Amino acid sequence: MATIVEIADPADPRLADYRDLRDVELRKNLEAEHGLFLAEGEKVVRRAVEGGHTPRSFLMAPRWLDGLADVLDRSDAPCYVLSEALAEQVTGFHVHRGALASLERRPLPSVDEVLDGARSVLVLEDVVDHTNVGAIFRSGAALGFDAVLLAPRCADPLYRRSIKVAMGTVFNVPWTRLPDWYDALPDLSARGFTTIALTLADDSSPIEDAVAGLDEVALVLGSEGHGLSPRWEQSADRRAIIPMAEGVDSLNVAAATAVACYVTARR
Amino acid sequence: MATIVEIADPADPRLADYRDLRDVELRKNLEAEHGLFLAEGEKVVRRAVEGGHTPRSFLMAPRWLDGLADVLDRSDAPCYVLSEALAEQVTGFHVHRGALASLERRPLPSVDEVLDGARSVLVLEDVVDHTNVGAIFRSGAALGFDAVLLAPRCADPLYRRSIKVAMGTVFNVPWTRLPDWYDALPDLSARGFTTIALTLADDSSPIEDAVAGLDEVALVLGSEGHGLSPRWEQSADRRAIIPMAEGVDSLNVAAATAVACYVTARR
């Protein structure tokens, strides 16, 4: 059972994992160096623990203790309890959902493990916005995708904002980083997946046609600004587009992914 | 042609329209009381002006003057020019996209005007997040929807964040507020639209079946948290669901809208 530790001093060094949560760059360094990530909110904290992540500690105001009693019962980590005003001083923002946990990152699984038995896969190149990464995981999970593969520069699915927007689905959908950016798509083709790049390129087919009748599919999405790299666009087996109204540039990457996942799930 | 006014003092009272842009509540009051809204970024400022909105003023760092020269040429409003550091002091944030404009709100059109000739319409009940409102406009515009109707409590499409996420499509897609919340959906039915509520209700049909073969369709979306009100859910002609994987609660409202618009556009 978690040890309840009441905290009166916001400078208490035991709270180091929870400092300055609004400072994205600082957090990226701190989390990478200490191999941790943060989960926010009762539901997400529970999903992280049920997903097999070991808590380093919990931090919450007293009124959240009851709701998470079952999770705290099964953990040996300390639970720091402090007022909401003190929590705000530590984290730098108003903790709307009350409970936070700091959890240990695990070594990422291999691509083999993540693809084992998978039929529908999302492959993200340089999606840099944590909100978009989270939204893509949520849509993929809801629409029956089996796995997510990330290029080396794609934003972190275990960043607090990604987890929150994903509603914790980052703990359910198997995912990992691709070790080799350059040959990532040919490697997937060699494993039997038809790789389909979502792009506005001239030789794109409508997404419904591109996925029709396929068995193993990998949908490939690029960054918010400039889309896919030329290498990935050209090394994909097919290029596909979501047909759009005249005069509109494009869909947001999260909206495009939702539509493409829906269509692919019905192939 | 706009008058260029160089500004050296961030407290200059002529900059009142641009103060404290990160304070959502303060901005809501200020913009409502003065009948203005803000556009951010060269592309969005241009679209706002081309959409027929009269600028009250512009504010930008010197290096953005050239890119907006054509817009400034056609306006009589003052253009306040100041350094990026001063602009940050005034607005409270780093103005990434350089140019801002304050524009006059116009009286909202009537429902009759907005629906004139429309075949596919989005109806938003209490979508409270500006990012979601913007994303929904962008998806609706990209996927060929003709109009958007908003319940009285839906978030403002002309709020800076909504406009930005919508990529300025709020200036192209006709929209207005519904004057009567209670009878909004029966009124649409009386006008010949089949109203289809997106909901997880037990009697929902898959969205593809719900829209099949229909001519005039109004897709009805509810709030991020609790979805549609019972009144709207029950007064819609049909209830529809996006079929989802087992164990996943739901799609984000913006993702659900993108999928539903895609399916409806292909009915």
Side-chain angles (χ1 to χ4, degrees):
Chain A
M1 159 139 201
T3 313
I4 305 295
V5 181
E6 294 195 14
I7 300 280
D9 175 8
D12 192 310
R14 292 172 292 186
L15 306 184
D17 286 4
Y18 301 94
R19 294 216 184 282
D20 302 317
L21 295 186
R22 294 185 67 165
D23 186 332
V24 178
E25 290 311 316
L26 182 148
R27 292 300 308 182
K28 280 187 194 167
N29 296 338
L30 184 150
E31 297 187 7
E33 284 161 17
H34 295 276
L36 65 88
F37 68 94
L38 280 210
E40 182 183 2
E42 180 184 327
K43 193 183 280 191
V44 169
V45 168
R46 175 172 286 108
R47 287 187 181 169
V49 174
E50 287 171 355
H53 291 280
T54 306
R56 292 160 56 97
S57 65
F58 302 88
L59 179 149
M60 63 192 74
R63 67 186 174 109
W64 298 95
L65 283 167
D66 278 356
L68 277 165
D70 57 319
V71 174
L72 296 173
D73 273 352
R74 291 193 305 264
S75 171
D76 295 326
C79 177
Y80 303 120
V81 177
L82 69 187
S83 71
E84 279 164 28
L86 282 185
E88 188 168 342
Q89 282 184 52
V90 174
T91 61
F93 73 111
H94 178 64
V95 185
H96 294 281
R97 289 161 197 254
L100 290 164
S102 170
L103 301 109
E104 287 175 13
R105 286 177 187 252
R106 290 181 303 191
L108 291 176
S110 67
V111 174
D112 283 342
E113 287 172 80
V114 166
L115 292 181
D116 186 31
R119 189 173 167 259
S120 304
V121 177
L122 283 167
V123 190
L124 309 184
E125 199 181 15
D126 299 344
V127 179
V128 296
D129 183 282
H130 292 114
T131 302
N132 284 334
V133 169
I136 289 170
F137 267 85
R138 184 174 175 190
S139 291
L143 296 167
F145 270 63
D146 305 305
V148 181
L149 297 172
L150 309 177
R153 281 193 292 251
C154 183
D156 179 11
L158 293 184
Y159 191 75
R160 181 174 56 95
R161 174 96 190 135
S162 311
I163 297 175
K164 189 171 165 183
V165 173
M167 301 282 280
T169 49
V170 293
F171 306 123
N172 305 118
V173 181
W175 64 271
T176 196
R177 292 267 171 197
L178 291 159
D180 174 8
W181 168 78
Y182 190 81
D183 280 323
L185 302 191
D187 283 352
L188 279 167
S189 304
R191 291 167 183 270
F193 285 87
T194 302
T195 56
I196 301 181
L198 243 73
T199 158
L200 306 174
D202 289 340
D203 64 344
S204 308
S205 336
I207 180 74
E208 285 195 51
D209 301 343
V211 299
L214 293 177
D215 186 15
E216 291 170 312
V217 171
L219 279 184
V220 184
L221 285 302
S223 103
E224 293 86 354
H226 54 77
L228 287 166
S229 66
R231 168 66 189 167
W232 274 39
E233 189 167 282
Q234 288 313 314
S235 62
D237 297 314
R238 301 181 184 181
R239 279 153 291 286
I241 192 169
I242 296 168
M244 274 173 284
E246 229 172 303
V248 177
D249 313 87
S250 67
L251 286 160
N252 161 284
V253 66
T257 304
V259 170
C261 286
Y262 177 86
V263 172
T264 304
R266 270 149 203 77
R267 66 187 181 274
Chain B
M1 156 140 201
T3 314
I4 306 293
V5 182
E6 293 194 16
I7 299 281
D9 175 8
D12 192 309
R14 291 173 293 184
L15 306 184
D17 286 4
Y18 301 94
R19 294 213 185 283
D20 301 316
L21 294 185
R22 294 185 67 165
D23 186 333
V24 178
E25 290 310 317
L26 181 147
R27 293 298 309 182
K28 279 188 196 167
N29 296 339
L30 184 150
E31 297 187 7
E33 284 162 17
H34 295 276
L36 65 89
F37 69 94
L38 279 212
E40 180 183 4
E42 179 184 327
K43 192 183 280 190
V44 169
V45 168
R46 175 172 287 107
R47 287 189 181 168
V49 174
E50 286 171 355
H53 291 280
T54 305
R56 291 160 57 97
S57 65
F58 302 89
L59 179 149
M60 63 192 75
R63 67 184 173 111
W64 298 96
L65 284 167
D66 278 357
L68 278 165
D70 59 316
V71 175
L72 297 173
D73 273 353
R74 291 193 305 264
S75 172
D76 295 326
C79 176
Y80 303 120
V81 177
L82 71 184
S83 71
E84 280 164 29
L86 281 185
E88 188 168 340
Q89 282 183 51
V90 174
T91 61
F93 74 112
H94 178 64
V95 184
H96 294 279
R97 289 162 197 252
L100 291 165
S102 170
L103 301 110
E104 285 174 15
R105 288 179 185 248
R106 292 180 302 192
L108 290 176
S110 68
V111 174
D112 282 342
E113 287 171 82
V114 166
L115 292 181
D116 186 32
R119 188 172 168 259
S120 304
V121 177
L122 283 168
V123 191
L124 309 184
E125 198 181 15
D126 299 344
V127 179
V128 295
D129 182 282
H130 292 114
T131 302
N132 284 334
V133 169
I136 289 170
F137 267 86
R138 184 174 175 190
S139 291
L143 296 168
F145 271 63
D146 306 305
V148 181
L149 298 172
L150 310 176
R153 279 192 293 251
C154 184
D156 178 12
L158 292 184
Y159 190 76
R160 181 174 57 94
R161 173 96 191 134
S162 311
I163 296 174
K164 190 172 165 183
V165 173
M167 301 282 280
T169 49
V170 292
F171 305 123
N172 306 117
V173 180
W175 65 271
T176 196
R177 292 268 173 198
L178 291 158
D180 173 10
W181 168 80
Y182 190 81
D183 280 324
L185 300 192
D187 283 351
L188 279 167
S189 304
R191 290 165 184 271
F193 286 87
T194 303
T195 56
I196 302 182
L198 243 73
T199 156
L200 306 174
D202 289 341
D203 64 344
S204 309
S205 338
I207 179 74
E208 286 195 50
D209 301 343
V211 298
L214 292 177
D215 186 15
E216 290 170 313
V217 170
L219 279 185
V220 184
L221 284 303
S223 104
E224 293 86 354
H226 54 77
L228 287 165
S229 66
R231 168 64 188 168
W232 274 38
E233 189 168 282
Q234 288 312 314
S235 62
D237 295 313
R238 302 181 183 182
R239 279 152 291 286
I241 191 169
I242 296 169
M244 275 173 282
E246 229 172 300
V248 177
D249 314 87
S250 66
L251 286 161
N252 161 283
V253 67
T257 304
V259 170
C261 286
Y262 178 85
V263 172
T264 303
R266 270 147 203 78
R267 67 187 179 273

